[in-house]
Amino acid sequence: MSRHTLSVLVENKPGVLTRFTGLIARRGFNIHSLAVGTTEREELSRITVVVDVENVALEQVTKQLNKLVNVVKIVELEPEASVRRAHMIFKVRADAAARPQIASAVEMFRGHIVDVSPNTVCVEATGERSKLDALRQVLEPFGIKEIVQSGTVAIGRGAKSMTDRAPRV
């Protein structure tokens, strides 16, 4: 199986996400990442989903998703033709002696320390999944107490927009 990122425009209505994820689950595919939010058009939401699936099965799922009443448009985002980002927040053990080392590591990854307590720091970072995984490896020796992460969000490169020709709902 291989990973595919789909950007899906849907009507911004209750129950759409449930129907969408239900269809993927019924086909037996694993959702690796899911992010949902409104778009520049208030009546539309964008679902960015990363799934593990074979190419032939992906085509079948895409056709079935297109049949859902509230799905407006589906685009597969190829890695070289899109910008992808995820967001992570780490709570790391950090006494006064460890804080400068952690701060230095976080700065190298263009992250930020967003909270400091006597025994921990909270670090946030945004970037490609590989960058966030590398930061995680750097922080692990200090002791990661908690991690929270978003799903991948992605957008196509260039001037084209998914909503340019999307019908009004």
Side-chain angles (χ1 to χ4, degrees):
M1 289 211 199
S2 57
R3 278 208 182 129
H4 299 272
T5 302
L6 300 177
S7 184
V8 185
L9 282 180
V10 297
E11 294 176 12
N12 191 7
K13 295 189 175 175
V16 172
L17 183 61
T18 301
R19 287 189 294 281
F20 179 88
T21 56
L23 191 149
I24 292 173
R26 282 192 304 277
R27 300 291 292 169
F29 303 132
N30 184 42
I31 295 175
H32 178 72
S33 169
L34 181 69
V36 184
T38 56
T39 67
E40 64 281 3
R41 289 179 39 191
E42 148 180 334
E43 73 273 14
L44 296 175
S45 289
R46 181 185 315 265
I47 299 172
T48 305
V49 61
V50 179
V51 291
D52 288 325
V53 62
E54 295 300 329
N55 289 337
V56 173
L58 178 67
E59 185 178 331
Q60 292 172 342
V61 170
T62 301
K63 286 178 181 177
Q64 290 178 338
L65 288 171
N66 270 314
K67 291 179 185 177
L68 290 176
V69 173
N70 303 111
V71 171
V72 176
K73 189 173 187 178
I74 301 174
V75 174
E76 181 177 2
L77 297 172
E78 299 296 334
E80 62 281 350
S82 62
V83 178
R84 302 153 186 257
R85 297 290 183 265
H87 186 210
M88 291 180 87
I89 303 173
F90 303 88
K91 186 181 288 185
V92 182
R93 286 187 178 87
D95 57 19
R99 279 194 197 109
Q101 292 174 296
I102 293 171
S104 176
V106 168
E107 188 177 319
M108 283 191 312
F109 285 89
R110 295 187 191 151
H112 304 281
I113 294 177
V114 293
D115 185 61
V116 177
S117 73
N119 299 315
T120 62
V121 295
C122 288
V123 172
E124 75 171 349
T126 301
E128 300 243 357
R129 189 65 59 181
S130 59
K131 171 189 162 186
L132 298 176
D133 290 343
L135 176 58
R136 180 182 190 163
Q137 288 177 346
V138 169
L139 294 176
E140 279 178 347
F142 296 101
I144 296 174
K145 294 180 61 89
E146 281 185 87
I147 297 176
V148 179
Q149 59 185 314
S150 72
T152 298
V153 292
I155 194 166
R157 295 183 184 274
K160 286 173 77 175
S161 169
M162 281 185 70
T163 56
D164 283 345
R165 293 183 300 197
R168 292 277 173 196
V169 281

